[in-house]
Amino acid sequence: MNINKQPRILRKPEVLELTGWSKSTLYNRIKSQHFIKSIPLGERSIGFISYEVNAVIRAMCEEQTPIQIKALVQELIANRTTNKGGI
């Protein structure tokens, strides 16, 4: 799977529009590790990395199991720390 890793920050309203979820569904999925967690942008703002959001949405469209999606989310988050400075 070729993921475009050109970094772009999506704000929460944009993510909600892309997924069609409510805020509570988004946060429940983040809590259960079925969606990627946000990154801090400032003291009171958050964002989501676009290629991570797209990867999870693509996995859902491919009808991957919740276990597969959770593994993908964990891998994406782990890659954040291994790629620090390399984005």
Side-chain angles (χ1 to χ4, degrees):
M1 174 171 28
N2 186 8
I3 298 174
N4 179 9
K5 288 198 173 187
Q6 180 61 38
R8 179 170 175 256
I9 303 300
L10 304 176
R11 300 300 301 269
K12 183 172 55 176
E14 201 171 352
V15 172
L16 293 173
E17 184 177 326
L18 286 169
T19 60
W21 296 335
S22 66
K23 285 188 265 185
S24 60
T25 298
L26 174 65
Y27 286 115
N28 285 335
R29 288 193 179 235
I30 292 170
K31 185 177 179 180
S32 67
Q33 296 184 334
H34 290 101
F35 199 75
I36 51 108
K37 62 183 179 178
S38 60
I39 60 170
L41 299 177
E43 207 171 293
R44 297 185 62 198
S45 61
I46 62 166
F48 296 84
I49 301 170
S50 61
Y51 66 83
E52 292 179 348
V53 171
N54 292 335
V56 175
I57 290 172
R58 188 177 303 112
M60 293 180 341
C61 290
E62 293 171 354
E63 298 182 1
Q64 291 187 17
T65 67
I67 293 170
Q68 291 172 311
I69 292 173
K70 188 172 184 174
L72 171 64
V73 168
Q74 291 170 343
E75 179 184 336
L76 289 167
I77 291 171
N79 285 339
R80 286 182 187 176
T81 56
T82 59
N83 291 332
K84 274 192 177 174
I87 294 179

